[in-house]
Amino acid sequence: MLHEMRAPVYVSAACDARYLSPVPSTRRRGPQSLAMLLPSFLLVLSLALFAAAADYYKILDVHKSASEKDIRAAYKRLSKKWHPDKNKSPGAEDRFVEIARAYEILSDIKKREIYDRHGEEGLKAHEGGQQHGGNPFDMFQNFFGGHHHQQTRKGPSSLTEFEVSLADVYAGGSIDFMIKKKILCDHCRGSGAASDGDIHTCTSCNGQGVKLVKQQIFPGMFAQSQVTCNECGGRGKVIKRRCPHCQGNKVMDHTAHYTLDVIAGMPEGHEVVFEGEADESPDWEAGDVVLRVRSKKETGGFRRKESSLYWKETIGVDEALLGFERNLTHLDGRTVPLVRKGVTQPGYVQVIKGEEFAEAFQLSSATHDEL
């Protein structure tokens, strides 16, 4: 279980007595006083408007200095998470629309500049009072290459055995790692064409993706069969000029960075799922990246068995007869005293209570294993 330590905040109560004098309620401010207050009021108003200008950044969970690539990645992640076809929770559609609006503004250089300078009111003036934005579902479809409506199946998921140190499993921690995978080309967004104008309807099958072929069986007898069009590969579209970034492959190699949060007491073989982070393709919805967490096999030191920890200590003959005192360094760096008095038989097991794994993942709290 992760613990967050917060440092105490001390607020001094000392202040100048000159500013504690009561002000009579009948006191009125003259024109000069109001004139002095006006700049302060305008400053507060300006700060309020400036704070409102950061709303779209908060919606996409990005910093104001986020690059175009960061904004695209944020929209890709959040739009899939909150799409109403996938997320059935109340308010998911409203959240999806907000994300689309935020992406529409921040992905447009001119609109983003106006928004940063003048906020939402400046955008309304720029749009001339017209209804802003397009259909968020069309935006989603266009972003993913226009193939999402055809994605009736999910792509393959990847399963990886991920080893972490026993100390991280005991105390919890965060581990950064990288995965090499395929992503849709940023330039053509999975179409494989240099531009939308380079995608044409296949003239061989008239956009159907299939053709009827007549084949002679016997003299004077023919049979018709339906085959996939060899010109367009069954897509109904042909590309005149290929995308120069992916050479028409529609996908590109990419190294993605992730963080694995190891919860204290995580059981051996626990699976952590990064949803929709496997290889991308315009022909399917990306599968999942699954990490099966296991503790590293280390020579010596502590061993784990379910929620218990085991330590093997070698002692001399005199200690076995007379007793001994030793200090063990626990996985979290604490010192645990090991004390024996009297005779210790070979193979004797001593239990130290309260030093086992955290109970965050234990199925039952009725029994507890100790060190």
Side-chain angles (χ1 to χ4, degrees), residues 284-327:
W284 62 62
E285 182 181 355
D288 305 329
V289 171
V290 183
L291 300 184
R292 183 174 293 161
V293 181
R294 298 190 182 279
S295 55
K296 292 180 180 178
K297 302 297 182 182
E298 300 175 353
T299 303
F302 286 96
R303 294 182 297 108
R304 180 183 187 179
K305 185 177 180 181
E306 297 180 354
S307 62
S308 299
L309 280 171
Y310 291 85
W311 175 274
K312 184 178 180 180
E313 186 74 13
T314 303
I315 60 176
V317 176
D318 55 338
E319 293 174 314
L321 295 174
L322 302 176
F324 61 91
E325 292 186 9
R326 293 191 181 183
N327 291 326

Side-chain angles (χ1 to χ4, degrees), residues 30 60 72 74 76 80 88-89 116 143 189 193 236 240 269 290 297 314 338 350 362:
L60 290 185
R72 281 180 54 81
K76 174 185 173 183
K80 290 195 296 184
K88 302 300 181 181
S89 62
D116 288 342
F143 182 90
R189 298 183 182 179
K240 296 298 183 182
V290 183
K297 302 297 182 182
T314 303
L338 177 60
Q350 180 166 333
Q362 291 184 12

Side-chain angles (χ1 to χ4, degrees), residues 134-190:
N135 189 319
F137 296 94
D138 291 342
M139 179 185 295
F140 181 84
Q141 178 178 315
N142 292 333
F143 182 90
F144 288 96
H147 296 279
H148 192 266
H149 62 286
Q150 300 175 356
Q151 293 178 357
T152 57
R153 64 188 181 95
K154 191 173 183 178
S157 297
S158 65
L159 175 63
T160 304
E161 299 285 341
F162 197 91
E163 291 189 339
V164 299
S165 67
L166 193 57
D168 284 332
V169 179
Y170 179 81
S174 297
I175 302 175
D176 295 325
F177 65 98
M178 299 181 295
I179 293 179
K180 292 183 178 181
K181 64 176 186 177
K182 301 287 187 181
I183 63 170
L184 293 179
C185 175
D186 287 338
H187 181 76
C188 67
R189 298 183 182 179

